[in-house]
C-alpha cells in the first residue's frame, strides 16, 4: 500500500542546514513531505517512494525552501517606546549615560507596568507580524520590563498568548535580573527578591522556559548573576546570559560554568571566555542590531568563535532601547556586513543555531525527518540573496507545523 502524507512540496531546492552536509546542506530537485505537522521526508525527489500518496501537492516551481526562521533573542513584549531617547542620543548622549540618568530600561518599565496583558499583546502583535512576514516560525520572548512579580508575569503571559494567537512557536525567558527597579536602592536585595519571590512564582506558573540575566556595569555583577543562575538550576530551568555587551566582566565564562544554552551579545568577550563556551557547548548569539543602533565599535570575536568551534546564532534583540529591529533578514545583512560573518554562518545562525540556542534542535531548525514541518519558501535564485539585500523581503510563503 502506498505511504500516505498530508502534504507534499515538490520541485523545490532545499537548504536543509543538515550538520552532516557541507555548507547549507543543499539538495537540488528536492521534496518535503509532511504528516501530522512533522517532516516525514526531506531530500531528493529521486529518493522519495514513487507510490507515495498525499492529500495535497504543492509545486514550488523551483523556489528555495529553508527551515522556518528562528529569532532566538527578543524583548518583543513591552509598553511604550523610546523614540525620544533616540533623539537624545542623536544629540550626543550615550546609551549608558541615558540609562544612568534614569532613562533607558527603567523608562520602559514604567510604561510596561501601566499595561495589562491585552495592551501588551496588542503592542507586540505588529512586531510579531513583521517577523512572521519574513518567515519566522519560532521566537524567543523575554520578560524584564516589569521588575516586579506581577508585571513580569503579565509580560510572560502575553508572550505565551502570542503563541496561541499566531501560528508561531514561542519560547519564554524570565529576565527579572535585567535592571534595578526604580523603587529599589540595593542590587543585592533586589536579587534576593528575584531568587526568592519572582523566579519561584514564574516557575511554578510554568511561564518560563529559561532564565536570562543582564550582567553588566549598569546591571548586575558576576556574583549576583551566579545567584540567579543557581536559583534557576533549583527549578530545573536552563539559563542564558546578556554577556560582555558593553564591557568584559567575564560573562561568557560564567554562562559556560552554568552550561548556559547561549551567551548573547559578546562584543567584549576574550579568548578565555570563548574557550569556556566551546567546552560547555554554549551558543554565541550575536546581535548586530544592537551593535549598530547604539553605535558600538567593538565587534564580537567571530574569528575566535570559529577557531574554537563555538556555534554562532543571529537574532534581532528586538527591544525599544538598543535594537528596535523587527527584521531577521536585516539582522543577517548586518551580521555579514558589520561582523564579517559568511552567508552560511548567517543562514545557519537564524535556523539551526537559533534552534540550538533555545534547546529546540531536536524539534526544528533543519529540514530533517521527525522535526516540526516549519518551512520558509523563498522567491530567490540563490540563498545568498537572503543575506545580501537590504530591506527587501522575498518570502513566497511560510509553513508552521505543516500548515
Ligand atoms: N541588553 C540590551 O541590549 C537590551 N537589554 C539588555 O540587557 C536593552 C534593553 C533596553 O534598553 O530596553
Ligand atoms: Fe537583549
Amino acid at each position: 500500500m502506498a505511504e500516505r502524507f498530508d502534504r507534499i512540496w515538490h520541485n523545490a531546492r532545499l537548504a536543509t542546514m543538515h550538520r552532516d552536509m557541507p555548507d547549507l546542506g543543499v539538495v537540488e530537485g528536492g521534496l518535503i513531505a509532511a504528516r501530522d505537522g512533522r517532516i516525514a521526508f526531506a531530500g531528493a525527489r529521486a529518493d522519495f517512494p514513487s507510490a507515495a500518496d498525499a492529500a495535497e501537492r504543492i509545486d514550488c516551481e523551483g523556489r528555495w525552501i529553508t527551515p522556518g526562521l528562528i529569532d532566538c533573542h527578543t524583548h518583543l513584549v513591552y509598553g511604550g517606546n523610546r523614540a525620544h531617547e533616540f533623539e537624545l542620543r542623536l544629540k550626543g548622549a550615550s546609551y549608558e549615560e541615558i540609562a544612568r540618568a534614569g532613562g533607558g530600561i527603567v523608562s520602559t518599565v514604567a510604561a510596561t507596568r501601566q499595561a495589562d496583558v491585552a495592551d501588551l499583546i496588542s503592542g507586540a502583535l505588529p512586531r510579531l507580524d513583521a517577523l512572521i512576514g519574513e518567515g519566522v516560525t519560532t521566537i524567543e520572548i523575554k520578560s524584564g520590563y516589569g521588575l516586579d512579580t506581577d508585571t513580569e508575569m503579565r509580560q510572560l503571559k502575553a508572550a505565551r498568548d502570542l503563541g496561541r494567537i499566531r501560528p508561531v512557536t514561542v519560547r519564554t525567558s524570565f529576565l527579572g535580573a535585567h535592571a534595578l527597579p526604580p523603587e529599589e536602592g540595593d542590587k543585592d536585595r533586589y536579587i534576593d527578591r528575584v531568587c526568592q519571590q519572582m523566579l519561584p512564582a514564574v516557575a511554578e506558573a510554568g511561564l518560563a522556559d529559561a532564565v536570562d540575566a543582564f550582567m553588566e556595569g549598569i546591571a548586575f555583577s558576576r556574583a549576583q548573576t551566579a545567584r540567579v543562575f543557581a536559583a534557576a538550576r533549583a527549578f530545573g530551568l536552563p539559563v542564558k546570559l546578556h554577556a560582555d555587551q558593553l564591557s568584559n566582566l567575564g560573562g561568557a565564562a560564567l554562562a559556560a560554568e552554568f552550561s548556559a544554552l547561549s551567551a548573547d551579545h559578546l562584543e567584549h568577550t576574550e579568548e578565555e571566555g570563548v574557550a569556556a563556551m566551546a567546552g560547555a557547548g554554549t551558543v554565541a548569539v550575536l546581535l548586530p542590531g544592537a551593535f549598530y543602533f547604539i553605535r558600538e565599535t567593538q565587534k564580537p570575536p567571530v574569528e575566535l568563535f570559529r577557531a574554537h568551534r563555538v556555534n554562532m546564532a543571529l537574532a534581532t534583540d528586538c527591544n525599544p532601547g538598543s535594537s528596535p529591529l523587527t527584521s531577521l533578514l536585516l539582522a543577517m545583512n548586518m551580521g555579514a556586513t558589520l561582523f564579517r560573518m559568511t552567508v552560511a554562518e548567517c543562514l545557519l545562525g537564524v535556523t539551526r543555531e537559533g534552534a540550538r540556542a533555545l534547546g529546540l534542535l531536536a524539534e526544528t531548525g533543519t529540514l530533517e525527518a521527525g522535526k516540526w514541518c516549519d518551512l520558509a519558501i523563498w522567491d530567490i535564485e540563490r540563498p545568498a540573496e537572503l543575506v545580501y539585500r537590504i530591506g527587501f523581503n522575498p518570502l513566497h510563503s511560510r509553513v508552521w507545523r505543516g500548515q
Side-chain angles (χ1 to χ4, degrees), residues 1 8 107 113 144 176-177 182 219 266 296 359:
M1 210 178 79
I8 288 176
S107 75
R113 287 179 176 177
L266 303 170
E296 274 269 5

Side-chain angles (χ1 to χ4, degrees), residues 239-241 243 251-264 266 273-285 305 308-313 353 356-357:
V239 299
K240 43 215 303 117
L241 184 64
L254 182 75
E257 212 176 282
F258 281 86
S259 305
L261 287 172
S262 69
D264 304 37
L266 303 170
V274 175
M277 287 174 65
T282 296
V283 177
V285 176
F305 293 135
H308 287 266
R309 299 189 178 281
V310 171
N311 294 303
M312 290 181 275
E353 301 313 325
R356 195 192 309 274

